[in-house]
Amino acid sequence: MGIRRRFILFPLIIGLLLPVYAPYGFAGPRLSSYEERLFMHINQYRVAKGLNPLAIDESLMRLAERHSARMKGKNVLGHERFNERFRQSGRSLCVENVGWNYQTPEDQFRAWRTSRGHNKNLLNKEIALAGIAQTGTYVTFFACAGEE
């Protein structure tokens, strides 16, 4: 195969594969390393269980960021105002996991995975979009159905 053909085929192959592999690790420039790794673990887990990976949604990111900041500001872990976030999302279904004081995303993911209710949220087959945010030691995973 000539060099010219290789230069044409390589970008084409990368262009075809990137959308397939992007949800597993690349989540956009807005995620911190902690958030990106946690999101990657969630998607790898979902795929291993036969579910579709989630996509990051900007509006859900903002909702997750505000909730994590609110929890940090009040120094309280909880789901306060979940119904408000759900309404603001405009989606038909949303789930939420929160966490506090897990030093690594792997520890946070493990805690959610081994908790029956949190695990159920991670593996909800109806969700397609997510926002994930860490503020200080507080983390919010807010995920919703894809349709509005």
Side-chain angles (χ1 to χ4, degrees), residues 9-20:
L9 285 178
F10 184 72
L12 179 61
I13 291 169
I14 295 300
L16 291 172
L17 292 178
L18 188 57
V20 173

Side-chain angles (χ1 to χ4, degrees), residues 82-129:
F82 171 80
N83 288 335
E84 183 180 315
R85 286 186 292 288
F86 174 53
R87 276 193 302 280
Q88 289 174 347
S89 77
R91 306 295 171 169
S92 61
L93 172 104
C94 293
V95 299
E96 179 178 80
N97 286 355
V98 295
W100 172 73
N101 211 27
Y102 287 93
Q103 298 305 306
T104 69
E106 292 75 22
D107 290 340
Q108 178 63 78
F109 173 71
R110 197 173 304 112
W112 284 343
R113 194 186 69 222
T114 58
S115 162
R116 187 174 174 200
H118 292 106
N119 191 57
K120 184 178 175 183
N121 287 343
L122 294 175
L123 297 177
N124 186 310
K125 64 182 179 182
E126 305 287 326
I127 60 174
L129 304 171

